């Protein structure tokens, strides 16, 4: 019987284990919880979402939306669980984080081809094909073995999570429900600020006490920037970022506030809300003091405070192939954020690709073209010409240029994105029909345009 080891039951590891098991491969899935936890862990379930509960935007006009559609087309287990546990989030896919983790865990534990072993892995010495998907929070012992295997100096960046608030403690006489520009149903709670209120909040934020983290200032991931670090870049920075008020008129006054703090539903019961863009490494007492200055949150009860942790990643270009297999050892694969793909769905994508290629006695590797979102990510992390490698979310800048349809001299930037998505979907249909479980029809332009 064919057998593969998977280390780590996060998004990449669970996706990899499921895809292998569905293809008749026996999988041993190693997960150190509950034997050992790290500070960011709060449950013993798999696929625990330590940061946001958002899987980001939907639709073909953005690369992350395309990536989700590609994975849905090919039967992603993580995407299925995400869709089943989604909560309202406007044009984004957000999930009830507890229900999502439990759904993934139940499916993985009940699969007849998957054996779960609760054990911390501290070595890379496996005989069978193995996928290391231990995540950005890899234990120190395994991280050291990985560092020595690749012969590299330790690589890491710092990541942060936003606070969670009890919905019943939000003062809705000051806050209001709305989506930006009135799109869709009113899914977000919005806390408006006047200019004077913002000024007081800003001064408190930039002077608040932070948790001391060595080397933090010079190595933070831009896509998860702590709100106080962002604020120190300039007084107006937050007004063009997470506190941007544009399109969020206050229905009580009919006017656009000077600043708006948005809260996104975090569970299906709508009893917990996430402070959007408020990743932080302020001390807990300072979080209580400063964030309660926000109108509507004066009596906020924090279900979880924001935290910060170190994320470890490999200098992957030149060390990994686009299959996520190591060049140095055949049969050893890496997947997840450790490879330099940044984000929940990006991690899932890497686990999916690694699984297809880790099947023992595979006739030829499964390599997705870089005209697809899955392939663009795999190409980015494996391109030996890449210099100053940094973790990366999927984006259309990773794709090769798209051809403009005949008869269309000028195509808007937004329409170019749709052309990227159309090309990607057609590529998957044409080159990987055996992987398609759900066909998607998408055209960037109607024929009569």
């Amino acid at each position: 019987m064919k057998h593969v080891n998977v280390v780590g039951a996060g998004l990449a590891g669970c996706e990899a284990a499921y895809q292998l098991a569905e293809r008749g491969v026996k999988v041993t899935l190693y997960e150190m919880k509950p034997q050992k936890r790290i500070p960011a862990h709060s449950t013993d379930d798999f696929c625990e979402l330590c940061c946001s509960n958002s899987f980001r935007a939907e639709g073909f006009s953005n690369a992350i939306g395309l990536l989700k559609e590609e994975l849905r087309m090919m039967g992603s287990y993580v995407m299925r669980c995400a869709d089943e546990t989604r909560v309202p989030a406007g044009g984004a896919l957000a999930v009830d984080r507890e229900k999502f983790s439990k759904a993934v865990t139940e499916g993985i534990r009940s699969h007849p081809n998957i054996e779960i072993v609760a054990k911390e892995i501290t070595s890379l010495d496996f005989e069978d094909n193995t996928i290391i998907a231990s995540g950005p929070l890899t234990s120190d012992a395994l991280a050291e073995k990985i560092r020595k295997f690749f012969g590299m100096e330790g690589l890491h960046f710092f990541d942060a999570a936003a606070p969670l608030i009890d919905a019943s403690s939000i003062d809705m006489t000051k806050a209001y429900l709305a989506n930006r520009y009135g799109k869709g149903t009113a899914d977000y709670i919005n806390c408006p600020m006047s200019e004077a209120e913002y000024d007081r909040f800003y001064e408190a934020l930039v002077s608040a006490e932070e948790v001391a983290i060595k080397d933090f200032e010079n190595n933070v991931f831009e896509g998860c920037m702590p709100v106080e670090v962002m604020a120190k870049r300039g007084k107006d920075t937050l007004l063009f970022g997470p506190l941007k008020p544009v399109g969020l008129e206050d229905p009580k006054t009919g006017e656009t506030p000077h600043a708006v703090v948005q809260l996104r539903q975090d569970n299906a019961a709508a009893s917990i809300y996430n402070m959007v863009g408020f990743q932080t490494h302020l001390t807990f007492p300072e979080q209580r003091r400063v964030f309660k200055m926000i109108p509507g949150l004066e009596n906020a009860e924090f279900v979880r405070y924001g935290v910060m942790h170190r994320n470890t990643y490999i200098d992957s270009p030149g060390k990994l192939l686009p299959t996520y297999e190591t060049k140095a050892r055949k049969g050893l694969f890496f997947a997840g954020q450790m490879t330099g793909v940044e984000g929940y769905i990006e991690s899932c994508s890497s686990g999916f690709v690694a699984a297809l290629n880790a099947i023992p006695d595979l006739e030829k590797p499964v390599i997705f073209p870089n005209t697809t979102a899955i392939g663009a990510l795999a190409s980015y992390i494996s391109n030996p010409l890449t210099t100053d490698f940094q973790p990366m979310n999927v984006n259309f800048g990773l794709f090769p240029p798209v051809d403009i349809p005949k008869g269309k001299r000028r195509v808007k930037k937004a329409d170019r994105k749709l052309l990227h998505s159309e090309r990607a979907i057609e590529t998957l249909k044409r080159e990987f029909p055996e992987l398609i479980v759900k066909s998607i029809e998408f055209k960037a332009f109607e024929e009569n345009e």
Side-chain angles (χ1 to χ4, degrees), residues 266-331:
D266 201 79
N267 64 350
S271 61
I272 300 174
Y273 274 74
N274 186 302
M275 297 183 70
V276 178
F278 269 68
Q279 298 85 358
T280 182
H281 75 312
L282 296 182
T283 64
F284 290 178
E286 289 291 75
Q287 289 183 48
R288 286 195 299 272
R289 179 181 70 86
V290 177
F291 296 158
K292 284 190 174 187
M293 296 176 68
I294 298 169
L297 301 186
E298 293 89 347
N299 299 309
E301 295 182 13
F302 293 88
V303 176
R304 184 195 73 186
Y305 289 103
V307 293
M308 194 155 200
H309 51 82
R310 190 181 78 172
N311 280 358
T312 302
Y313 67 98
I314 302 164
D315 185 15
S316 295
K319 295 180 175 65
L320 298 183
L321 298 168
T323 58
Y324 293 89
E325 185 176 24
T326 64
K327 288 186 174 182
R329 184 190 301 175
K330 186 173 177 59

Side-chain angles (χ1 to χ4, degrees), residues 42-325:
S42 58
T43 77
D44 291 332
D45 289 329
F46 302 157
C47 281
E48 186 176 356
L49 305 182
C50 295
C51 297
S52 170
N53 71 318
S54 174
F55 285 7
R56 312 200 321 273
E58 291 272 57
F60 290 106
S61 61
N62 50 75
I64 187 60
L66 170 61
L67 181 60
K68 289 199 281 281
E69 292 296 347
E70 291 180 2
L71 289 167
R72 287 182 177 117
M73 285 176 67
M74 293 183 289
S76 164
Y77 176 63
V78 166
M79 281 307 308
R80 186 206 308 172
C81 292
D83 288 334
E84 291 174 352
T85 58
R86 68 190 303 153
V87 296
L93 171 61
V95 301
D96 180 315
R97 71 177 74 222
E98 290 188 8
K99 289 185 176 180
F100 168 74
S101 295
K102 288 187 182 300
V104 175
T105 304
E106 289 171 3
I108 294 295
R109 286 194 177 278
S110 63
H111 201 293
N113 284 339
I114 301 177
E115 176 191 9
I116 311 296
V117 177
K119 177 182 178 182
E120 179 187 3
I121 296 299
T122 59
S123 170
L124 299 177
D125 297 328
F126 291 93
E127 292 185 2
D128 294 337
N129 285 2
T130 299
I131 299 173
I132 305 297
S134 49
L137 307 177
T138 295
S139 65
D140 291 342
L142 182 56
E144 179 62 14
K145 288 292 173 59
I146 293 170
R147 185 190 70 78
K148 288 182 176 179
F149 174 79
F150 286 112
M152 63 185 189
E153 295 183 9
L155 289 175
H156 66 268
F157 64 95
F158 288 98
D159 211 345
L164 300 179
I165 293 175
D166 184 332
S168 65
S169 67
I170 301 170
D171 185 354
M172 293 304 294
T173 65
K174 296 181 179 180
Y176 57 93
L177 289 167
N179 280 356
R180 201 176 298 277
Y181 302 111
K183 292 182 178 180
T185 56
D187 298 326
Y188 289 78
I189 292 177
N190 300 270
C191 300
M193 287 186 182
S194 66
E195 185 172 0
E197 289 169 332
Y198 175 75
D199 288 346
R200 288 193 293 272
F201 168 76
Y202 175 81
E203 293 302 328
L205 180 62
V206 296
S207 61
E209 182 182 357
E210 303 172 6
V211 177
I213 301 180
K214 185 179 179 182
D215 297 331
F216 160 71
E217 287 79 4
N218 298 321
N219 206 2
V220 64
F221 176 54
E222 291 285 333
C224 208
M225 178 71 62
V227 65
E228 63 275 6
V229 176
M230 192 183 308
K232 290 177 181 178
R233 293 182 170 183
K235 191 172 183 179
D236 291 339
T237 303
L238 296 179
L239 300 178
F240 291 92
L243 273 69
K244 182 171 67 175
V246 179
L248 292 171
E249 288 76 14
D250 188 337
K252 301 181 183 69
T253 64
E255 298 179 354
T256 300
H258 184 73
V260 174
V261 174
Q262 287 199 300
L263 308 176
R264 180 180 58 239
Q265 184 176 331
D266 201 79
N267 64 350
S271 61
I272 300 174
Y273 274 74
N274 186 302
M275 297 183 70
V276 178
F278 269 68
Q279 298 85 358
T280 182
H281 75 312
L282 296 182
T283 64
F284 290 178
E286 289 291 75
Q287 289 183 48
R288 286 195 299 272
R289 179 181 70 86
V290 177
F291 296 158
K292 284 190 174 187
M293 296 176 68
I294 298 169
L297 301 186
E298 293 89 347
N299 299 309
E301 295 182 13
F302 293 88
V303 176
R304 184 195 73 186
Y305 289 103
V307 293
M308 194 155 200
H309 51 82
R310 190 181 78 172
N311 280 358
T312 302
Y313 67 98
I314 302 164
D315 185 15
S316 295
K319 295 180 175 65
L320 298 183
L321 298 168
T323 58
Y324 293 89
E325 185 176 24

Side-chain angles (χ1 to χ4, degrees), residues 143 195 206 287 361-362 394 398 438:
E195 185 172 0
V206 296
Q287 289 183 48
D361 303 322
L362 192 68
V394 67
L398 301 178
K438 175 188 174 184

